[in-house]
Amino acid sequence: MESIKRGLLIILFTVLFSTMAMAGNFSAQTGYDWLSEQNTEGGFNSDISSTAWAIMALDAAGYETAGSVDWLYEQMSTSYCFPSSSCTNEETALAALALKEV
């Protein structure tokens, strides 16, 4: 029984230390770089909310967001709501916030 406990502790510490070592390689810059690469044709996942959040994050970090802003404007209806096909309060609010920020 004692050897099983010792073995489990060794496995637990190994997993814990390897997880901590991997976390040390992450940086905010790596996250922003990854996010900027997810952009397809201006929109992120062809989704208003995802694009709005990405615009705000990338703009705050100094990345170019003009293509995404243009894509967002293309999704606006003539009555100024988002998306033009089925206006929702949440997506309109996020889009308006993102456009205000940039």
Side-chain angles (χ1 to χ4, degrees):
M1 184 69 160
E2 193 65 34
S3 63
I4 293 175
K5 287 181 182 179
R6 183 174 295 157
L8 288 174
L9 281 174
I10 290 171
I11 291 172
L12 177 64
F13 284 125
T14 303
V15 170
L16 179 65
F17 287 120
S18 64
T19 302
M20 289 171 52
M22 287 188 300
N25 294 333
F26 178 79
S27 71
Q29 186 64 51
T30 303
Y32 286 122
D33 291 342
W34 176 85
L35 182 59
S36 69
E37 293 169 8
Q38 304 309 305
N39 187 339
T40 57
E41 300 175 19
F44 289 80
N45 297 325
S46 297
D47 178 68
I48 301 293
S49 297
S50 297
T51 303
W53 285 115
I55 287 172
M56 289 186 282
L58 292 172
D59 183 67
Y63 283 76
E64 177 59 46
T65 59
S68 297
V69 169
D70 291 343
W71 182 88
L72 202 55
Y73 273 119
E74 291 170 6
Q75 309 312 306
M76 184 172 58
S77 76
T78 55
S79 61
Y80 304 103
C81 64
F82 295 85
S84 60
S85 60
S86 60
C87 297
T88 67
N89 291 335
E90 178 184 355
E91 290 179 316
T92 299
L94 281 172
L97 182 61
L99 294 173
K100 178 192 171 293
E101 292 297 316
V102 295

